[in-house]
Amino acid sequence: MTVSERIKKLQNLMTQKNIDAYIVPTADFHQSEYVGEYFKARKYITGFTGSAGTAVITKDCAYLWTDGRYFIQAAKELLESDVQLMKMGEPDVPSIEGFLSDILPANGTLAFDGRTVSMGEGQTYAALAASKNGHIIYDCDFIDTIWEDRPSIPCEPVFPLTMQYAGESAASKLTRIREKMKETGASMHIVTSLDDICWTLNIRGNDIDFFPLVLSYAIITLDKVDLYIDENKLSDDLKTLLTKDHVKLRPYNAIYEDVKKLRLERLLIDPARLNYALYINLPKDAVKIEGTTPAYLMKCIKNPVEIENIKNAQLKDSIAHVRFMKWLKEHYDKTEITEIEASDKLDAFRAQMEGFIRPSFGPISAYGAHAASAHYSATPETNAVLKAGNFLLTDTGGGYYEGSTDITRTYALGEIAPELKEHFTIVLMSNLRLADAKFLYGASGMNLDILARKPFWDRGLNYNHGTGHGVGYLLNIHEGPASFRWQYRPGEVYPFEEGMIITDEPGIYIEDSHGIRLENELLAHKGAATEYGQFMYFETITFIPFDLDAVDVSILSEEDKQLLNQYHKNVFEKLTPYLTKEECEWLANYTRAV
């Protein structure tokens, strides 16, 4: 079926059930940002392939809300369908809640699969329907009804992350979580976010492409853990290991019935991470204590073992990138290279590194105008050939036992126009200035984002995405709460703590022309403590040259030049012990002082 045919089939179901609007989010049952093939319901019903967005289907229309990272991509992917793009945050574009409030008739009905909607979102929808004297239906998966060849839920093996990589035992993590539970007065804590469960129990899997996560739920009490999981994924050795930490195995879907029995318990729940279907099944006489999942705030502060491992992973990835950059510069004009071939070549260099498992997320390899879509993904149909006169942007990562990397570089292929050099240099200044931040403890990414935006805003320019995000340790590549962004989001403003790792990735995107993004990873440190308080700073842990072929040195201030030269000096010193003589000579040119 085409997208239009799927929508029509869904609308027929809605008419039969007297439903006025059906909501299809991106998430799986665990509020994951990236989901497995079984859960890609929003992609199925709209044709939009990005990682963020929500579809709303009415009886006669279909809409898709997505953010600035995907405006260009979504417009192209929705071109042949009947789905209307709603650009989140743009003037005159209503929020999903505002739109539903306008179109829902009196006594109307909203419907969704409550397993894919967070508790907080579900409560909002319920209140919205009630305001119209209507109601919600939260237990209907209409997409499953019309999706005839839907992929099955994955059953991939689980593996333990040993102490040499985790740096802290599951027993220790559980002790810390239980201390937080006691502080809130909770006797039980329901955990549904996959990365929090994997981090807590030191397990990893393969249930989502690129992300080593395991489909599971957990209920943590003060003396045991009920782990809801497909037991076939676990080896006997791993079952024994989990038993030592008093982990009891339960069938994956059994949690929906089990929570109904938690009467008179004091339950710690996270409205942002608990799905609405689970929330509704909680007994009315159980005390619900709302708070952030403790593991969410614990795992973002990396322990000394994790930090050392991550630095090793970054070093390996940097070596692979330098070899790729050299290959690209020497071959793009001598043989035909496509976007996908370039991406595969970079991963081939990564695969030569000890401890490499697989890419840490779906690669972005975008030439020329394709890079104007911030999250472009090359396909056989769009796979451009690299040519002189424009940029190749690669936003890729490696998953190593020592951690995950997320690195973006933009390379000039031959001579490029002055405007392209100017834009590249603005992005470079932005990256360097943010990395050089010195700030008092208590500052968040909202305070510091202006350091990255200033070179853009001074020139009337901007980019429609955050400047940086936290990075998980062989978990989600986007990990909260650390972020750089200028817009306030309730519940997402946290101060930087020593041990947090965050990306620094400003960019510029000119539709039908080019896109540029430069991304390093930063490690937050405590600096000097003075009479004014505890100062903090960032250590750059990515060591890949910025392409000097694309830099307009005349735009750089003297301070910018010093920052660039010092960074390139560090790159050369870090990498040359691992490179051949020929590679060192090549790197010397691309790290030369300006």
Side-chain angles (χ1 to χ4, degrees), residues 222-235:
L222 297 179
D223 57 6
K224 68 180 179 69
V225 178
D226 286 325
L227 178 63
Y228 294 82
I229 190 170
D230 182 345
E231 199 171 328
N232 293 322
K233 299 178 180 182
L234 306 173
S235 67

Side-chain angles (χ1 to χ4, degrees), residues 429-440:
M429 290 189 294
S430 171
N431 179 285
L432 293 170
R433 292 179 187 181
L434 179 57
D436 192 49
K438 308 295 187 296
F439 53 98
L440 278 168

Side-chain angles (χ1 to χ4, degrees), residues 25 27-32 39 112-123 125 136 138-139 190-194 197 215-218 252-253 255-257 259 268-282 288 293:
D28 57 16
F29 303 159
H30 308 272
Q31 300 306 299
S32 304
F39 296 102
F112 50 86
D113 181 351
R115 298 170 299 177
T116 66
V117 168
S118 74
M119 166 188 158
E121 290 169 331
Q123 289 173 317
Y125 296 144
I136 62 169
Y138 74 89
D139 57 354
I190 302 174
V191 191
T192 63
S193 39
L194 302 182
I197 294 169
L215 290 173
S216 55
Y217 305 91
Y252 176 60
N253 284 312
I255 190 170
Y256 290 91
E257 289 300 317
V259 296
L268 175 59
I269 57 176
D270 188 334
R273 291 166 185 81
L274 185 72
N275 74 47
Y276 187 72
L278 271 175
Y279 169 70
I280 286 296
N281 282 332
L282 296 177
K288 289 91 169 176
T293 298

Side-chain angles (χ1 to χ4, degrees), residues 314 431 434-437 469 471 484 496 499-505 520-525 537-542:
Q314 285 286 337
N431 179 285
L434 179 57
D436 192 49
H469 58 82
V471 179
F484 292 119
F496 284 109
M500 283 184 171
I501 290 178
I502 188 168
T503 64
D504 171 5
E505 50 179 314
N520 285 340
E521 289 186 22
L522 311 176
L523 171 64
H525 283 280
Y537 69 95
F538 295 118
E539 174 191 359
T540 301
I541 58 176
T542 304

Side-chain angles (χ1 to χ4, degrees), residues 48 138 141 147 245 287 371 423 575 584:
F48 170 59
Y138 74 89
D141 184 357
W147 194 348
D245 289 317
V287 177
H423 286 169
L575 298 191
C584 289

Side-chain angles (χ1 to χ4, degrees), residues 23-26 42 48 50-56 63-72 74-75 78 84-99 121 125 462-466 485-490 492:
I23 304 164
V24 188
T26 297
R42 190 226 56 222
F48 170 59
S51 68
T54 298
V56 175
Y63 304 85
L64 172 80
W65 275 259
T66 192
D67 62 46
R69 296 172 296 170
Y70 292 109
F71 288 168
I72 296 173
L78 301 180
Q84 182 176 332
L85 175 61
M86 308 293 279
K87 297 181 178 180
M88 293 170 65
E90 293 292 287
D92 302 321
V93 176
S95 66
I96 295 172
E97 292 80 7
F99 172 81
E121 290 169 331
Y125 296 144
N462 193 33
Y463 47 94
N464 281 324
H465 58 73
R485 62 179 68 254
W486 66 273
Q487 292 168 307
Y488 174 68
R489 292 184 180 181
E492 291 190 14

Side-chain angles (χ1 to χ4, degrees), residues 81 111 164 182 207 250 263 271 573:
S81 75
Q164 72 181 103
K182 291 174 185 175
D207 285 342
R250 297 281 294 138
R263 300 182 64 249
E573 291 176 352

